[in-house]
Amino acid sequence: MNPNSLVSIDDLSEEDILAILEDARFFEENPNHKILDGKVVATLFFEPSTRTRLSFETAVNRLGGRVIGFSDANTSSSSKGESLKDTIKMVSNYVDLIIMRHFQAGAAEYACSVTDTPVINAGDGSNQHPSQTMLDLYSILKTQGRLDNLDITMVGDLKYGRTVHSLLEAMRFFKPRFRFVSCPELAMPQEYIDICEKLGMPYEIHTELSPEVINSTDILYMTRVQRERFEDLAVYERVKDCYSLNNAMLEGSRDNLRVLHPLPRLNEIAEDVDDNPKAYYFDQARNGLFARQALICRALGISTDDIRAAESK
């Protein structure tokens, strides 16, 4: 496994996280560079994506690199039965970095085990989504001015939601207070409850997105109920519309509250929320470009000091 690979948010220390966020700020202020001139990056998306794939590919282009890959596994040899191992080993012959999304939990870790080329996990099943977490942290830092001692409410699909799993683990350094709001079928898995208890992160479990919950929150993290994760579609139909946030529900909320969502959304946030200054999910998606520029450079062993030095010549 290449030590610069990023499979899980657990791969990053507090110092790593803060350094990446500082680099993301640098790229927001200075997005266009040629530091990846001559580098080729593969984006292998075995599962559909819009924001993650396009922001990664835009990040490579803005850094001066080139992109190869696929956005539909049906156009790759995996549709012919080629194994993930063979795909990764073959692609590794051509590129300097692999960015991969896969429908199976653990696929990114397996990919890392069969190649020395660095791999960035762009989401593996219901497991982890570390690059989303870094843009979430950057969004929280920008809107709150800090990461520590915040009240964070996670709503919706907490069982299969890899974004909330990764964010919960990343916040272990910053003394959060969590509220988990879901129907019983989509409750936060016990392993993440255990993490909260082990690390002393206070949490409450709710089934209602009540005014009391909303009005005592700094970050309201809404999620989509993911149809593609359900083996029994009858269960999906029963729970898909459990929660829907509308503008009126934010009337008594804190001034600093921001609504985040990894997108795409369905019915969990009404469109009348979009014009509320507390709605931050489209800005959050934009932040993905800068966070992913920082992660790409980290994976390739490039620092912002290297960029400054190269561009000062």
Side-chain angles (χ1 to χ4, degrees):
M1 176 176 174
N2 189 298
N4 290 335
S5 290
L6 179 59
V7 172
S8 167
I9 202 68
D10 279 348
D11 296 337
L12 302 177
S13 66
E14 180 179 2
E15 293 74 17
D16 291 332
I17 288 173
L18 296 177
I20 292 167
L21 295 179
E22 187 58 37
D23 287 349
R25 189 187 307 276
F26 169 81
F27 287 118
E28 181 168 12
E29 296 170 354
N30 309 274
N32 298 313
H33 304 275
K34 297 297 182 184
I35 198 69
L36 296 191
D37 186 29
K39 300 289 188 183
V40 180
V41 177
T43 53
L44 309 183
F45 279 70
F46 294 86
E47 190 177 56
S49 170
T50 300
R51 279 148 298 278
T52 302
R53 180 177 64 83
L54 292 180
S55 62
F56 264 123
E57 292 183 355
T58 301
V60 174
N61 280 291
R62 288 197 177 276
L63 292 170
R66 298 176 68 88
V67 178
I68 65 170
F70 53 82
S71 58
D72 181 353
N74 290 326
T75 66
S76 76
S77 290
S78 65
S79 66
K80 303 175 184 178
E82 182 175 63
S83 68
L84 179 59
K85 176 182 179 180
D86 287 3
T87 297
I88 296 299
K89 291 186 78 67
M90 180 273 299
V91 172
S92 296
N93 292 324
Y94 310 141
V95 303
D96 302 284
L97 171 64
I98 294 172
I99 298 166
M100 188 180 82
R101 168 170 287 190
H102 202 280
F103 50 85
Q104 286 188 328
E109 183 175 11
Y110 177 75
C112 289
S113 74
V114 299
T115 182
D116 291 329
T117 301
V119 175
I120 295 177
N121 180 9
D124 61 329
S126 60
N127 184 33
Q128 285 272 336
H129 198 346
S131 72
Q132 176 71 43
T133 301
M134 291 312 304
L135 74 92
D136 290 344
L137 292 175
Y138 189 50
S139 299
I140 293 170
L141 181 61
K142 286 179 66 177
T143 61
Q144 305 300 310
R146 68 185 200 278
L147 292 174
D148 58 301
N149 295 298
L150 293 172
D151 294 301
I152 299 175
T153 297
M154 298 174 169
V155 183
D157 184 357
L158 308 187
K159 179 178 181 180
Y160 300 112
R162 58 194 175 198
T163 63
V164 294
H165 299 163
S166 292
L167 181 57
L168 183 152
E169 292 195 52
M171 291 302 299
R172 67 192 185 277
F173 301 115
F174 305 112
K175 299 182 177 64
R177 295 172 294 277
F178 286 117
R179 292 181 182 84
F180 304 136
V181 181
S182 71
C183 54
E185 295 91 339
L186 297 176
M188 184 66 75
Q190 186 61 44
E191 64 184 288
Y192 295 101
I193 298 295
D194 291 344
I195 289 172
C196 289
E197 293 183 349
K198 178 181 178 181
L199 298 179
M201 296 189 292
Y203 68 92
E204 299 173 2
I205 295 174
H206 299 264
T207 57
E208 181 184 355
L209 185 56
S210 65
E212 291 76 17
V213 168
I214 293 173
N215 296 346
S216 56
T217 292
D218 300 310
I219 295 294
L220 183 60
Y221 198 102
M222 303 295 295
T223 66
R224 170 178 68 95
V225 177
Q226 303 172 81
R227 183 180 186 274
E228 63 270 26
R229 306 290 179 219
F230 285 78
E231 294 182 3
D232 186 344
L233 292 184
V235 177
Y236 168 76
E237 291 296 328
R238 186 167 68 247
V239 303
K240 66 179 182 178
D241 295 321
C242 280
Y243 305 100
S244 182
L245 180 72
N246 61 56
N247 197 46
M249 296 168 70
L250 297 173
E251 287 181 0
S253 62
R254 295 173 177 174
D255 291 341
N256 66 303
L257 178 138
R258 293 296 180 270
V259 181
L260 302 187
H261 191 305
L263 300 176
R265 67 170 165 186
L266 298 179
N267 301 319
E268 61 275 2
I269 300 179
E271 290 191 3
D272 68 358
V273 177
D274 294 354
D275 295 327
N276 191 311
K278 297 177 181 179
Y280 196 74
Y281 29 89
F282 294 122
D283 298 284
Q284 176 187 1
R286 179 175 179 268
N287 290 336
L289 169 60
F290 315 123
R292 287 174 173 132
Q293 284 182 290
L295 290 172
I296 288 167
C297 286
R298 175 186 178 274
L300 292 172
I302 298 168
S303 71
T304 53
D305 288 340
D306 295 331
I307 296 174
R308 292 184 182 96
E311 295 177 351
S312 66
K313 294 179 180 179

